[in-house]
Amino acid sequence: ICGAFLSKGLSAGNIRVLIKTTGYGDLFHDSVKVTCNTGYTITCNDLEQHFGGGEETVIEPSDARFAQGRIEIKPDVADGEIKLLNIKRSQGNPEYEGIIELSLWDSGIVIINDVDIEQYLKRVVPSEMPASFGTESLKVQAVCARSYAYRHLTNGGYNEYGAHVDDSTQYQVYNNTIEYDAANEAILATRGQMLKFNDEVVQAYYYSTSCGVGTDVSLWGSSPESYPYYVSKDIGENQR
């Protein structure tokens, strides 16, 4: 395929997140160890293996199934969560809704989580903003995070590996903390809402620390004319 023509706007559905190693140091894992809070199934082509809830499985680069293609790990029920025991985050071993896909590369195993965007946001928003900041702040964060994710559905940063984003600060931090009710309420209250400029979803960049003055994108070597919605101005609390 040399190209594709989009006859209608992209609708946000699932996002594919590349899961990095402990400490976000690498894309490639030496091995993968999984379990699930429910029964789960590991599939490769037509081969299926079923496991009970709590059973652990280790998949090494030498696994013969990789010769057949990607290995897919999926909970047997819709709200099941796959836990990756070979990874540590601030919450401990992270758990993932959706599907976990494994592919073998020369440097190791690549892990991708294929998950609904709204479920993805439940693990992004509290990882990027403390839930204690309150509902209205979390709503703003949810809209920014959703807009950012949406834009990357068409600008996949890891096309080579079949992923749109990774789970680090390189994109948006994903699943570093557990879900929080306040963040989930904010996500639900803003469901489907995104930031737009001239009817197009913007590149919703945001940052953790500010001196009270915004900036345009020239700071990162981009053309301000391409992003007219970013301007350098005082955004202190006395400004409106």
Side-chain angles (χ1 to χ4, degrees):
I1 298 175
C2 297
F5 176 75
L6 296 177
S7 59
K8 61 181 180 180
L10 182 67
S11 60
N14 281 22
I15 187 167
R16 293 172 59 82
V17 188
L18 190 151
I19 309 300
K20 288 189 168 183
T21 58
T22 298
Y24 305 103
D26 204 342
L27 309 181
F28 303 101
H29 301 258
D30 295 331
S31 66
V32 178
K33 186 177 183 180
V34 303
T35 187
C36 187
N37 61 343
T38 70
Y40 63 102
T41 301
I42 298 181
T43 305
C44 184
N45 279 341
D46 296 329
L47 300 175
E48 286 190 356
Q49 280 184 289
H50 299 277
F51 299 87
E55 283 192 70
E56 297 179 3
T57 305
V58 178
I59 299 174
E60 304 281 356
S62 59
D63 195 303
R65 287 172 293 189
F66 281 124
Q68 305 299 317
R70 292 175 180 256
I71 296 174
E72 180 181 285
I73 308 171
K74 184 177 181 180
D76 291 340
V77 298
D79 59 351
E81 297 181 342
I82 299 293
K83 179 182 287 189
L84 295 179
L85 299 172
N86 57 296
I87 297 175
K88 289 287 184 67
R89 298 288 187 247
S90 68
Q91 58 166 299
N93 298 119
E95 298 179 81
Y96 299 88
E97 296 189 54
I99 297 170
I100 294 293
E101 286 185 5
L102 310 179
S103 58
L104 182 61
W105 298 78
D106 290 342
S107 299
I109 299 173
V110 168
I111 303 175
I112 293 174
N113 180 209
D114 189 314
V115 64
D116 179 84
I117 281 187
E118 298 300 317
Q119 295 296 330
Y120 165 74
L121 293 177
K122 291 181 179 180
R123 307 291 174 91
V124 167
V125 173
S127 294
E128 289 282 4
M129 174 181 284
S132 61
F133 277 25
T135 302
E136 296 306 311
S137 295
L138 291 165
K139 286 180 180 178
V140 174
Q141 184 66 37
V143 173
C144 288
R146 185 181 292 108
S147 304
Y148 186 94
Y150 177 90
R151 284 297 296 257
H152 281 84
L153 293 180
T154 53
N155 299 317
Y158 289 100
N159 288 332
E160 179 181 3
Y161 304 109
H164 300 111
V165 296
D166 67 36
D167 62 344
S168 75
T169 56
Q170 185 75 20
Y171 291 89
Q172 299 187 110
V173 178
Y174 170 55
N175 212 1
N176 189 45
T177 64
I178 61 174
E179 293 184 23
Y180 286 91
D181 289 343
N184 288 350
E185 290 170 10
I187 293 162
L188 182 61
T190 62
R191 186 177 180 85
Q193 296 180 23
M194 290 178 279
L195 295 168
K196 294 185 178 182
F197 181 81
N198 290 340
D199 294 325
E200 291 190 6
V201 178
V202 305
Q203 287 279 14
Y205 299 118
Y206 56 89
Y207 43 82
S208 64
T209 307
S210 171
C211 60
V213 179
T215 185
D216 60 32
V217 295
S218 60
L219 182 65
W220 294 277
S222 298
S223 168
E225 290 75 21
S226 300
Y227 302 91
Y229 40 85
Y230 285 113
V231 295
S232 179
K233 62 179 293 186
D234 187 342
I235 53 177
E237 62 181 33
N238 295 325
Q239 301 297 316
R240 295 291 185 268

